[in-house]
Amino acid sequence: MDTLTSIPITRTRQSRITALDFDHLVFGATPTDHMFTATFRDGNWQNPQIVPFGDLTISPIALGLHYGQTVFEGLKAYRATAGHIQLFRPHKHHTRLNKSLERMGMPAVPEALFIGALHHLVELEQQWVPAKPGTSLYLRPLVVATEPRLGVKISEEYLFIVVAMPMADYYTGNLKVKVETGFSRAARGGTGAAKCGGNYGAAFYPAQQAKSSGFDQVLWTDATYHEFIEESGTMNVFFIIDGVLVTPPLSDSILDGVTRDSLLTLARAGGISVEERKISYKALEKAFRSGKTVEAFGAGTAAMVSPIEVIDILGKTYYPSVGPDTLMYRLKNELQALHTGTKKDSYYWNYIIQTVPQ
Ligand code: COI
């Protein structure tokens, strides 16, 4: 399939949008009326269509349910202040999806299929794209292995779906995190850089333990020495130490975050010193103890820029700066301005979808 200029659409009989409270959006709880689906069979993606959102029929012995061949993405559509809708960096999300799929032994999704799915779904669901500052339509592409076979093998059949749901803030307040030195998220050579379901499922228990001690998330350290900070929960992690933006370098145990990349680009363009380097929790502790100004935040598509106000390092508590004058808010505001089209899109990151009368 080279292009996806049109696609069959089966419309829902009864929209659910009138029941939606746009002032109280809960992440992931209110899917739009429709979803995109396509199947992979006989070596090809086929049957792309948009259908009413609903349950899937999948065999109880589908390989993906048993052995975890599932890969997903997360990206957003924003309502620009000029009225149109724009997807943020869908091509970069597509590249990452295919990298994840390759790592999981799954077939690539062609660019035209990915972009076409997003375009047609968002165009159809345009009334679901909220307009308030900080809100968006979250898009969740997912590829799951569906071949009905219990043998431990790579599946030959897959389902590609895209669902959409309006959202506001993922985290409603500043975060309290704990440096994790027991559990590991990802080891060298593993799947840490892939956006596969297993990475998230395996993180639930450590996160639950941290929550029971009053933290929102863990700050993952490397699996070899448990010393170098890697990610935080569902986000990449950044520090600003005496004005220098520091984030761990990409590796096979760190997700290549689109928000991460966008912030690094904006920071460099804005004259902020940037260091992509390893940072140990000991170095971080030293920075706090020597009186340096430290800001800390998580960055991700869902979480955007989420300030961290408390960091627990082996039982000692440190308090990064989180005031409105911090550098992270300057970066956050710049990124938000790009999302909504109030800052010139010099990087051509936005994919514009013109709204059409429904
Ligand atoms: C995202 O930021 O889009 C993610 O996929 C992280 C999380 C919500 C699972």
Side-chain angles (χ1 to χ4, degrees), residues 27 72-75 93 96 138-140 170 195 200 234-235 255 259 300-304:
F27 179 77
F72 69 95
E73 267 302 317
L75 69 161
H93 282 279
R96 187 174 68 179
Y138 185 79
L139 298 157
R140 171 55 64 86
Y170 185 76
K195 211 162 169 60
Y200 293 80
T234 56
M235 307 168 288
L255 189 78
T259 308
T301 295
M304 243 294 255

Side-chain angles (χ1 to χ4, degrees), residues 54-288:
D55 292 346
L56 301 168
T57 300
I58 189 166
S59 166
I61 56 169
L63 279 162
L65 295 179
H66 297 265
Y67 307 123
Q69 260 192 314
T70 71
V71 158
F72 69 95
E73 267 302 317
L75 69 161
K76 286 175 172 174
Y78 294 90
R79 190 168 295 275
T81 44
H84 63 265
I85 293 168
Q86 47 196 25
L87 304 179
F88 191 65
R89 305 192 73 179
H91 294 92
K92 185 151 175 69
H93 282 279
H94 171 254
T95 304
R96 187 174 68 179
L97 174 76
N98 278 350
K99 277 192 191 152
S100 302
L101 290 169
E102 184 182 7
R103 177 62 185 82
M104 297 300 290
M106 298 162 75
V109 170
E111 187 173 78
L113 180 62
F114 184 79
I115 301 292
L118 297 170
H119 184 122
H120 291 290
L121 185 64
V122 172
E123 194 172 61
L124 181 65
E125 303 293 52
Q126 57 189 262
Q127 285 168 347
W128 291 79
V129 183
K132 268 192 176 178
T135 64
S136 58
L137 184 70
Y138 185 79
L139 298 157
R140 171 55 64 86
L142 169 75
V143 184
V144 56
T146 49
E147 185 184 343
R149 177 90 72 96
L150 273 194
V152 183
K153 65 180 266 295
I154 285 181
S155 178
E156 284 174 27
E157 292 171 18
Y158 296 87
L159 184 64
F160 169 43
I161 64 172
V162 184
V163 293
M165 40 209 95
M167 68 172 285
D169 290 336
Y170 185 76
Y171 292 113
T172 45
N174 296 334
L175 302 177
K176 298 179 176 54
V177 302
K178 166 187 175 271
V179 170
E180 178 59 61
T181 54
F183 295 109
S184 301
R185 174 186 173 273
R188 300 314 305 267
T191 58
K195 211 162 169 60
C196 58
N199 287 346
Y200 293 80
F204 287 164
Y205 181 70
Q208 186 190 46
Q209 299 285 299
K211 276 186 187 139
S212 66
S213 307
F215 300 100
D216 300 294
Q217 274 296 347
V218 297
L219 258 190
W220 294 108
T221 51
D222 69 283
T224 311
Y225 306 106
H226 282 301
E227 194 175 329
F228 297 99
I229 292 167
E230 298 222 309
E231 287 194 19
S232 179
T234 56
M235 307 168 288
N236 292 112
V237 65
F238 285 81
F239 302 98
I240 303 177
I241 303 174
D242 273 354
V244 179
L245 184 68
V246 181
T247 194
L250 293 179
S251 73
D252 54 6
S253 58
I254 293 184
L255 189 78
D256 181 1
V258 177
T259 308
R260 176 189 183 279
D261 180 78
S262 308
L263 291 171
L264 288 174
T265 306
L266 292 177
R268 287 188 173 111
I272 297 171
S273 300
V274 171
E275 292 178 4
E276 289 182 74
R277 64 166 166 87
K278 287 186 169 195
I279 176 157
S280 67
Y281 69 76
K282 289 177 188 161
L284 185 62
E285 197 164 29
K286 202 167 155 201
F288 278 113

